[in-house]
């Protein structure tokens, strides 16, 4: 643990305190340890300041302070960044967690969402109007990091990625400017809108997002579990290839969780499952159940009608804050047999119940966006794979890094060159160019224009 504490200009610090309505927390304050804590316990950093912003004015003041003081700046939304980019040693943490306002416009099917919101906040607010948009599969995930990285979820096949559903953003840039960006403008603000739709936090702090919403309320959702068998995985591949975009079908590979609908003899044993999210008509529910049952021997199932917000809470208890995580990611076209073989081999030695390999279909509506229409370029990928060993202690997580690196290595011959930035850990900075493919050059040009000093560098960094 670093004990570095910078020498702050206290005159500027007092000016910062006077400029923000939120809290400025320093080492020694009673709530400092709480303020510096992040979701992934691997990252136990000690920032010089944590600013708990409550509005865009606080964000501007904090960005100006960090830049003028030459301090490292970490921007935190939901704090789920697996590489720990929402915190730092000796710098400034800009915590958006108190910026949680949402306004839903049901007539135009829009939601204006502040940058500190989680997907639980969004789903709750939009469900009241029978509307939804693509979000994550863990409700405590922040909207900011997920959306600016691309944004996968249960609705992606039908509605596109979270970034595809952005209508506009409010953005604070490195020079403290406040910009409203839309893709309907051909000026520089329109270029920034393009960049934040997949380019991560490289270009500024998004203080609010405007999302397009879709008429989705209740769904047929939940997991169906099977033995970990290559034939089941091949039938899952066929299921997705059938192309019914109304069926979200997230594949999970891991150990059986201790849930009541899974017989005890399967708890802790290798298995695979499909977490379905059927947004089609209710009178076709039985057909969907039968189709999922045909994938293989069903060893447990909880597939019921539920409000859409509920399906995004099904993983919450499995991965609470305070566990230790290390991730790798990959894109594939289809699921080649070599990928399936790796799932079976490494899935059998999954290190913990919380360590789940997750496979997101990213076809359908995701493919109807061009590779250069947004910074997210992998529009020809069919699946995005997340390898995520998650353990109860730092020592256990460190011990499993070789497992996940070997697993990822087994996927590489069958995968595309880059991966999804939100599934990358801190030692994947050398993959940034490959993650953006032909879009990298344009992204770097925009970075040079809007952040030449690389103030926003705690991310999968596009260095100017």
């Amino acid at each position: 643990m670093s004990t570095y504490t910078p020498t702050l200009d206290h005159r500027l610090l007092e000016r910062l305190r006077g400029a923000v309505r939120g809290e400025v927390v320093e080492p020694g304050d009673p709530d400092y340890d709480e303020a510096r804590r992040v979701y992934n316990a691997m990252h136990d950093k000690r920032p010089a300041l944590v600013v708990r912003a409550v509005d865009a004015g606080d964000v501007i003041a904090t960005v100006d302070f960090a830049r003028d003081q030459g301090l490292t700046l970490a921007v935190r939304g939901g704090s789920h960044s697996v590489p720990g980019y929402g915190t730092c040693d000796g710098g400034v943490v800009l915590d958006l967690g108190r910026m949680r306002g949402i306004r839903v416009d049901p007539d135009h099917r829009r939601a204006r969402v502040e940058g500190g919101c989680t997907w639980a906040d969004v789903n709750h607010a939009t469900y009241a109007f029978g509307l939804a948009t693509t979000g994550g599969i863990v409700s405590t995930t922040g909207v900011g990091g997920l959306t600016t990285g691309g944004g996968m979820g249960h609705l992606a096949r039908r509605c596109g990625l979270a970034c595809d559903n952005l209508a506009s953003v409010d953005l604070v840039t490195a020079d403290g400017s406040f910009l409203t960006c839309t893709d309907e403008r051909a000026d520089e603000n329109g270029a920034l809108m393009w960049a934040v739709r997949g380019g991560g936090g490289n270009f500024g702090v998004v203080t609010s997002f405007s999302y397009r919403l879709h008429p989705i309320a209740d769904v047929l959702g939940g997991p169906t579990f099977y033995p970990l068998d290559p034939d089941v995985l091949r039938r899952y591949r066929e299921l997705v290839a059938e192309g019914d975009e109304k069926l979200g079908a997230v594949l999970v590979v891991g150990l059986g969780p201790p849930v009541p609908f899974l017989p005890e003899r399967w708890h802790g044993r290798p298995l695979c499952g499909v977490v379905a999210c059927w947004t089609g008509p209710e009178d076709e529910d039985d057909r969907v159940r039968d189709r999922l049952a045909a994938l293989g021997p069903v060893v447990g199932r909880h597939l019921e009608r539920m409000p859409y917000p509920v399906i995004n809470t099904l993983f919450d208890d499995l991965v609470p804050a305070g566990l230790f995580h290390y991730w790798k990611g990959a894109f594939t076209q289809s699921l080649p047999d070599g990928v399936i073989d790796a799932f079976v081999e490494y899935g059998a030695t999954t290190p913990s119940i919380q360590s789940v390999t997750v496979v997101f279909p990213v076809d359908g509506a995701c493919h109807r966006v061009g590779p250069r229409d947004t910074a997210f370029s992998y529009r020809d990928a069919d699946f995005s794979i997340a390898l995520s060993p998650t353990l109860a202690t730092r020592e256990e997580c460190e011990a499993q890094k070789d497992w996940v690196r070997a697993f990822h290595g087994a996927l590489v011959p069958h995968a595309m060159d880059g991966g999804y930035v939100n599934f990358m850990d801190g030692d994947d900075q050398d993959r940034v160019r490959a993650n953006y493919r032909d879009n990298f050059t344009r992204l770097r040009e925009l970075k040079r224009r809007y952040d030449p000093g690389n103030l926003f560098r705690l991310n999968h960094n596009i260095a100017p």
Side-chain angles (χ1 to χ4, degrees):
M1 182 186 301
S2 172
T3 58
Y4 168 69
T5 302
T7 301
L8 298 178
D9 183 326
H10 288 283
R11 180 177 53 86
L12 291 177
L13 179 56
E14 287 309 307
R15 187 182 301 172
L16 174 66
R17 289 185 183 279
V20 302
R21 297 180 64 201
E23 294 179 75
V24 178
V25 183
E26 295 182 80
D29 289 348
D31 52 352
Y32 175 72
D33 283 337
E34 176 191 352
R36 70 184 182 86
R37 189 174 298 122
V38 293
Y39 177 81
N40 184 0
M42 290 290 283
H43 306 288
D44 187 15
K45 303 292 181 68
R46 303 189 67 84
L49 295 176
V50 179
V51 180
R52 290 168 158 170
V54 298
D55 58 25
D58 287 1
V59 173
I60 293 169
T62 306
V63 168
D64 286 344
F65 176 82
R67 182 195 63 244
D68 293 345
Q69 290 272 52
L71 295 171
T72 300
L73 177 65
V75 181
R76 178 192 303 164
S79 97
H80 274 233
S81 168
V82 170
Y85 293 142
T87 188
C88 60
D89 279 321
V92 178
V93 171
L94 172 54
D95 185 351
L96 307 181
R98 295 188 178 181
M99 296 175 60
R100 304 283 280 271
I102 298 177
R103 184 182 186 278
V104 178
D105 178 352
D107 293 333
H108 296 94
R109 292 182 183 172
R110 294 287 191 274
R112 171 66 65 177
V113 177
E114 288 192 315
C117 288
T118 67
W119 286 106
D121 299 328
V122 176
N123 296 334
H124 171 77
T126 57
Y127 179 75
F129 300 95
L131 300 169
T133 196
T134 305
I137 65 170
V138 175
S139 76
T140 56
T141 304
V143 299
L146 185 130
T147 302
T148 59
M152 297 171 187
H154 294 294
L155 301 181
R157 302 184 75 204
R158 175 173 173 177
C159 304
L161 303 174
C163 73
D164 299 336
N165 288 285
L166 275 184
S168 68
V169 298
D170 290 335
L171 184 75
V172 176
T173 56
D175 64 357
S177 297
F178 180 85
L179 306 175
T180 296
C181 307
T182 78
D183 56 7
E184 298 170 357
R185 297 172 60 169
D187 59 10
E188 292 184 353
N189 291 11
L192 275 175
M193 181 66 180
W194 174 86
V196 300
R197 294 168 75 183
N202 277 281
F203 303 95
V205 184
V206 180
T207 60
S208 71
F209 301 82
S210 177
Y211 292 99
R212 300 181 182 93
L213 305 177
H214 305 266
I216 295 170
D218 293 343
V219 302
L220 175 70
T224 304
F225 289 116
Y226 317 86
L228 181 55
D229 184 284
D231 288 337
V232 175
L233 299 176
R234 292 187 186 99
R235 294 185 194 113
Y236 166 78
R237 179 175 64 191
E238 295 169 2
L239 172 72
V240 174
E242 290 171 5
D244 193 332
E245 297 172 10
K246 296 185 293 296
L247 178 61
V250 174
L251 175 70
V252 294
V253 176
L255 305 180
V259 291
F261 57 88
L262 186 67
E264 189 172 349
R265 66 189 182 89
W266 283 98
H267 294 180
R269 291 181 59 185
L271 48 67
C272 59
V274 176
V275 183
C277 180
W278 168 249
T279 59
E282 188 172 357
D283 60 11
E284 294 187 32
D285 284 4
D286 286 343
R287 178 184 67 83
V288 173
R289 288 189 178 96
D290 291 345
R291 185 65 185 88
L292 289 165
L295 300 185
V298 175
V299 299
R301 181 164 74 172
H302 182 70
L303 188 57
E304 305 293 342
R305 274 273 148 184
M306 61 181 68
Y308 173 71
V310 172
I311 196 171
N312 279 319
T313 68
L314 298 183
F315 286 94
D316 287 7
D317 290 343
L318 189 67
V319 283
L323 297 176
F324 295 78
H325 306 259
Y326 178 76
W327 284 26
K328 293 293 175 198
F331 285 121
T332 65
Q333 292 177 314
S334 184
L335 284 180
D337 286 345
V339 170
I340 289 174
D341 291 343
F343 286 166
V344 173
E345 177 182 355
Y346 289 92
T349 57
T350 298
S352 72
I353 289 174
Q354 293 81 10
S355 302
V356 181
T357 298
V358 185
V359 182
F360 291 86
V362 286
D363 57 343
C366 304
H367 282 186
R368 290 195 289 277
V369 178
R372 297 191 179 184
D373 292 343
T374 67
F376 182 96
S377 65
Y378 276 86
R379 300 298 180 165
D380 51 347
D382 297 311
F383 296 95
S384 180
I385 303 169
L387 312 178
S388 54
T390 299
L391 285 303
T393 70
R394 181 183 304 276
E395 293 73 21
E396 289 175 311
C397 192
E398 289 287 351
Q400 294 302 328
K401 286 185 176 180
D402 287 344
W403 173 82
V404 74
R405 288 166 179 158
F407 193 167
H408 182 258
L411 299 179
V412 166
H414 316 284
M416 305 169 87
D417 286 343
Y420 177 41
V421 293
N422 286 347
F423 294 160
M424 299 290 173
D425 218 300
D427 55 2
D428 284 314
Q429 289 286 351
D430 61 341
R431 300 181 67 190
V432 170
R433 182 183 290 270
N435 293 344
Y436 291 110
R437 302 164 110 182
D438 293 342
N439 291 336
F440 180 80
T441 298
R442 184 183 179 191
L443 287 166
R444 187 168 59 183
E445 290 171 354
L446 288 168
K447 180 73 170 180
R448 286 172 177 163
R449 186 184 312 167
Y450 289 99
D451 186 16
N454 207 10
L455 177 66
F456 302 113
R457 60 183 176 273
L458 288 186
N459 44 50
H460 291 292
N461 193 231
I462 301 166

